[in-house]
Structures are given as structure tokens and as C-alpha cells.
Amino acid sequence: MSARETERLHASVLVAPAAERRRLRTQRRRAATALRAEQHRAEQAAARAKADAERSERRATTYLPAAGEPGPAALRTPGRFRLPRHQDTSATLAGAYPFVAEGGLGADGVFVGQDLYSGGSFVYDPWVLYARGIITAPNVVLAGIVGSGKSSLAKSLYTRSLPFGRRVYVPGDPKGEHTAVANAVGGRAIVLGHGLSTRLNPLDEGHRSAGLSDREWAITVASRRRDLIGALAETVLARGLTPLEHTAIDLALTAVVAQNTVPILPMVVDRILTPDEAADGRLAEDGRLVGHALRRLVAGDLAGLFDGPSTVRFDPSLPMISLDLSRVTENSTLISVLMTCSSAWMESALLDPNGGQRWVIYDEAWRLMSHPALLKRMDAHWRLARHYGIANMLIFHKLSDLDNVGDAGSAMRSLANSLLANAETRIVYRQESDQLGPTAQALGLTGTEQKLLPGLGVGQGLWRIKDRAFVTQHQLHPAELALFDTSSRLNSGVK
Ligand SMILES: Nc1ncnc2c1ncn2[C@@H]1O[C@H](COP(=O)(O)OP(=O)(O)OP(=O)(O)O)[C@@H](O)[C@H]1O
Ligand SMILES: [Mg+2]
């Protein structure tokens, strides 16, 4: 056999069994598929038969009437069950669903921003709430860390209440940030400081209420002047006046007023130091200390502000008046004296029965509260708020600022604490974590409210109005944002 034939034979031997195997494999596969299909059909038929059997068994058994049991047994059976719609008062429902958000303070008053729980708008007006009996005194305490938006909230509240006919008084503005707002709303900022030509005359007559007779007016002016000079002397002396000092001031004042149409402080000081001698000849001696104390205001380190006729007038009819203390912040006696003068004028305007309602804003109050005379006046305004128709607002950084006033147990400290106690609206902006405990304790906050405080953003605050609580976002109009901005100096040059 040739080599080629051998090769062909080998090939035929190899090819024939391979084809056979393929055929057998196909046969096996078909048989397996047919078997599986057969099994599947059998299973399906069995399942159908079982389901049919169950269904027919179910149908054959009667458990309950299709429409449910009638009468008192109705709730025991599945089936249609109808109740009449339930209606109740919101007070009852608030008890049944205590986590539902607050209903809000109504829509009357000044828009503040958004109530973050309900998503609705938040409106606040102390006079409206007072009239509705929700609060019993219109005073507000606002505390929050530096830059949390406290002053902006105060500015919004008072500017937005101007269209409601209210006026604004800022009796001491250590940063001078309310000056621009006062000018923008058609009010006036009294800027005082060394080197300025502005003068305040503590002997000004002040505001004359309508309906006073000339005689009553003369008596009012005399007593106002006596009180104010006495308060100024007390501030500089840092103690109360003795009866002899009272007499020395009174006699000097009477003599100066009798001889001059526009009495000024230097005249009174001269007169106290060199009086027309009275019977016992010791008047000069009695008035020496008080004379020199007041001399400090006209010739000493506090000179240049009170030693001439007033160049500015406290006009209570303006929508806003602010006393800008930004030029005198370094001198605490001067601040105290200036605020004493301005509070006295303000009081004369407040006493006017036609004076209307006013916001009185103590921004950076922690600085002002360190002056005992101012704190006393603040306390008096606080207590007389309802009588005068004023709403006081006290702004500071943390509630423990109140514990830095005076010594523990002192009268000053208790006055400061009574300010908080007499404020039914307490607004807490962001607080440092070390302040949470004292703040929660002072305001009676719940654990949840307390946890909320460190996470509050700019303009967000917890408002406690009596026993009610709101978490709000104060919203600013772009024009307000531009006017109220206090960050421009910090941001200047930063892209
Ligand atoms: N509701 C607000 N929405 C947006 N920005 C705000 C809001 N409130 C305040 N700001 C911004 O935060 C800045 C600081 O605000 P603001 O001066 O009111 O803070 P503050 O708490 O009074 O600070 P300080 O303790 O220093 O007096 C403002 O210049 C303003 O740009
Ligand atoms: Mg501020």
C-alpha cells in the first residue's frame, strides 16, 4: 500500500466514529428535552389540580357574611367598615398629635422670615401680641455669638415696623451701625465725640407735651434739669449725692436759670464753685466736690461735648433717633454721661401721652450694662414698658453676660437678671457649646432645643415667646442686606 492510501484509510477511520457520536449526542439531547417538558406539564397539571381543589374547598366553606358582621360585632370581621368623619378642635388635636408644628402667631404684624418647622411665614409684633393677650410685657432679649445676625434682626424688626406708625430710639450705639439706617429712614443719628462741633446741652428744656400750662411746663423743666444735673454728678462721682450737694446744685441752677435765657453747664459749675453766699457761709464748701465733678464735663477730660448750647435737637416726631457712640467708646464715663442725658430727653418724649409706640434698642447691651446709672434707667424703662407704650430690646452675646454685671449678690446683678425675667420674648441665636447648659437652664429649654443651638446658621434663631417655641430664619431683602451690612470692612479686599 502506498503511503497516500494509508493516509486516506486513517482519515476514514477517524471521521466515521465522530459523526456517529454527534448523532447519538443529538438524540440524547432531544430525549432529555422531551422528558423535561413532559415533567413540567405534569407538575403544572398537578399544581392546577391542587389550586382548583383548594378553591373549590374554600368556596364550599362559609366563614362570615361577605359584608362583615352587622351591628356591634362589625369590627371583629374583615370587610367594609365605615366611621363618620371625626372633627375636633385644633387644641385637642395638638394634644393627640404633639409633634405637629406650631400654628404660628397669626398674620398680624411685622414679617420676620420663615418658620423652619412649619415652613410658613413668621410674623412678630410685640404690641399686637400684647393686645391679643399672648404676652404681658413687650420686652425682648436677644442673645447670640458674634456675627450671628442679631443687629440685622433688630434693624429689620424696627424698620419694618415704621410703616405701622411706630418709632425707633437707639439710646446708645457703641458701633455706630444704626446711623446709616437712621439716615435712610428719614430719622437722625446724633454723633458725638471729641473734636466734633456737636454739643449737647444737659440744661435743654426737652420735649413739651401737648396740654401743659406754662406754669406746669416751668415746674417740669426745673425738675428735669435738677434731676439730670444730679444724675450727671452722680455718674461722675460714682456715688449718690448728699443732701448738702443737692442744695448746692439746686441753688446754683435756680440762680443761673433766672439770669439767662439759654443756661449752659459751665454757668452752673461756676455758680456751684462760687455761690452767692447764703446765711451760714458754707455753701461753697458744701458744693466743692459736686462742683469739681461737674467741672470735669466742661473743662476736664470730658470737655467739649456739654459746654455750650445744643447743636442737635432731640426731635421725638422723627421716625428714628440714634445716639452714635462710636467716637467715644474708649471712655466709659463719657458713654454713661451721654446716655444719661439722652435717656432723660427720651423719657420726656415718652411721657407724652400722644408720643405713640416706640422700639427702644439697646445694641451691645453688655457694654452699657456695666454702668450702674444706665442699668437703673434701663430697668425702669423695662418695668414701665407697657405704661410708656415702648418695646425694649436688649442685645448681647450670651446670657451669662448678665452674670458679669456687678458682683455676685449685688443690686446690679439682680437688676440685670430681672431684665431677663421680665422679658417674655427671648430669642436665642447660635451659642457656643459651653453656653448651652446655662442658656437652657435660664430659659427652660428642652433637650432638643438645647441641641439645636450650636448648629444654627446666620439669621436662624430659637424664639421663645412665653411657653411657645419657634425656630425661624430671618429673611433680608437685598436692599436691607446692603444697608445693614456690618461685614464690609472685614470683607474689603477679599475676592
Ligand atoms: N438673615 C440674614 N441673612 C443673610 N445674611 C445675614 C442675615 N443676618 C445677618 N446677615 C449677615 O451677617 C452679617 C453680620 O450680621 P450682624 O451684624 O447682624 O451680626 P451681629 O450678631 O450683630 O454681630 P455682632 O455680635 O458683631 O454685633 C451682616 O453683615 C449680614 O451680611
Ligand atoms: Mg451687632
Side-chain angles (χ1 to χ4, degrees):
M1 212 183 303
S2 70
R4 180 170 291 213
E5 282 172 333
T6 311
E7 204 173 86
R8 205 179 297 137
L9 184 66
H10 278 174
S12 70
V13 166
L14 286 172
V15 167
E20 183 65 9
R21 274 202 306 276
R22 211 162 26 241
R23 196 175 56 77
L24 288 173
R25 208 163 42 234
T26 314
Q27 268 180 0
R28 275 200 306 275
R29 213 163 30 228
R30 283 199 190 122
T33 314
L35 193 62
R36 271 203 302 274
E38 184 62 28
Q39 275 173 353
H40 183 65
R41 269 195 299 279
E43 279 167 13
Q44 276 190 329
R48 252 197 314 274
K50 193 175 168 211
D52 286 346
E54 281 175 2
R55 197 179 309 127
S56 49
E57 190 183 339
R58 237 188 355 256
R59 281 189 186 146
T61 324
T62 345
Y63 293 102
L64 296 165
E69 299 252 21
L75 267 178
R76 293 200 209 134
T77 58
R80 271 176 283 154
F81 172 63
R82 292 232 168 83
L83 274 179
R85 195 175 289 155
H86 181 69
Q87 286 191 334
D88 222 324
T89 62
S90 46
T92 312
L93 291 175
Y97 300 97
F99 304 109
V100 172
E102 249 276 6
L105 295 170
D108 286 348
V110 171
F111 174 75
V112 175
Q114 194 181 24
D115 183 328
L116 292 180
Y117 283 158
S118 71
S121 56
F122 182 73
V123 166
Y124 177 80
D125 186 314
W127 292 281
V128 171
L129 295 183
Y130 179 73
R132 283 171 36 198
I134 294 176
I135 53 175
T136 52
N139 297 322
V140 181
V141 165
L142 167 56
I145 60 165
V146 173
S148 52
K150 305 178 295 294
S151 304
S152 303
L153 175 66
K155 290 171 195 168
S156 276
L157 272 179
Y158 69 63
T159 47
R160 293 175 190 180
S161 62
L162 294 176
F164 292 81
R166 276 134 206 169
R167 299 201 180 95
V168 188
Y169 184 53
V170 186
D173 175 14
K175 288 190 191 162
E177 57 181 301
H178 295 268
T179 301
V181 186
N183 293 333
V185 300
R188 157 131 226 213
I190 301 175
V191 190
L192 289 154
H194 288 300
L196 298 180
S197 58
T198 337
R199 293 282 181 283
L200 276 188
N201 183 4
L203 298 171
D204 273 348
E205 293 183 339
H207 176 69
R208 180 172 181 170
S209 313
L212 280 187
S213 71
D214 283 351
R215 203 181 120 66
E216 285 168 335
W217 175 232
I219 295 171
T220 312
V221 171
S223 88
R224 254 182 215 171
R225 285 174 171 157
R226 208 173 321 118
D227 289 349
L228 184 52
I229 300 293
L232 294 181
E234 282 182 0
T235 307
V236 184
L237 284 169
R239 65 161 171 81
L241 294 182
T242 64
L244 293 175
E245 287 167 342
H246 269 294
T247 309
I249 290 179
D250 194 32
L251 292 178
L253 204 54
T254 316
V256 167
V257 170
Q259 289 163 13
N260 302 278
T261 43
V262 182
I264 53 174
L265 196 54
M267 297 173 186
V268 180
V269 173
D270 279 348
R271 200 77 191 190
I272 295 175
L273 293 175
T274 51
D276 289 340
E277 277 307 337
D280 66 358
R282 289 167 56 190
L283 199 53
E285 193 187 319
D286 297 337
R288 256 175 76 79
L289 267 179
V290 74
H292 284 286
L294 288 174
R295 189 180 168 279
R296 214 178 137 194
L297 296 177
V298 295
D301 60 328
L302 309 178
L305 291 162
F306 307 99
D307 45 8
S310 288
T311 57
V312 285
R313 207 170 71 80
F314 181 95
D315 179 358
S317 64
L318 290 176
M320 174 168 176
I321 300 169
S322 159
L323 184 68
D324 185 333
L325 299 177
S326 56
R327 308 283 192 102
V328 291
T329 37
E330 78 288 354
N331 192 329
S332 73
T333 315
L334 197 50
I335 290 188
S336 190
V337 169
L338 275 171
M339 285 194 60
T340 307
C341 282
S342 72
S343 315
W345 288 336
M346 179 183 77
E347 276 159 28
S348 68
L350 293 176
L351 282 174
D352 185 349
N354 305 320
Q357 292 161 332
R358 238 170 243 274
W359 270 110
V360 179
I361 309 285
Y362 295 95
D363 204 346
E364 305 283 325
W366 53 277
R367 288 201 209 190
L368 311 176
M369 280 160 58
S370 57
H371 305 284
L374 295 183
L375 188 61
K376 273 189 213 143
R377 271 181 189 270
M378 229 186 248
D379 181 60
H381 290 170
W382 215 256
R383 286 167 197 280
L384 291 170
R386 290 181 316 117
H387 179 68
Y388 283 163
I390 58 178
N392 294 290
M393 183 186 246
L394 199 64
I395 305 176
F396 42 87
H397 291 136
K398 44 193 194 289
L399 294 183
S400 56
D401 283 347
L402 294 173
D403 293 333
N404 297 330
V405 178
D407 298 326
S410 65
M412 291 263 290
R413 175 76 62 87
S414 52
L415 273 189
N417 285 322
S418 81
L419 292 181
L420 182 62
N422 286 325
E424 275 175 333
T425 306
R426 293 110 177 246
I427 309 169
V428 192
Y429 269 28
R430 188 156 161 205
Q431 292 286 309
E432 297 292 3
S433 32
D434 64 325
Q435 289 301 316
L436 298 182
T439 309
Q441 206 183 0
L443 301 183
L445 302 184
T446 63
T448 315
E449 287 168 345
Q450 183 178 342
K451 281 200 209 109
L452 194 80
L453 297 181
L456 292 173
V458 172
Q460 293 180 343
L462 171 70
W463 291 58
R464 293 279 303 208
I465 299 172
K466 235 174 163 179
D467 298 330
R468 299 167 74 177
F470 304 88
V471 180
T472 65
Q473 168 72 58
H474 166 219
Q475 287 172 336
L476 282 172
H477 186 272
E480 287 181 313
L481 195 59
L483 181 63
F484 301 166
D485 188 29
T486 52
S487 324
S488 52
R489 215 195 277 189
L490 206 60
N491 290 338
S492 62
V494 181
K495 289 272 176 313

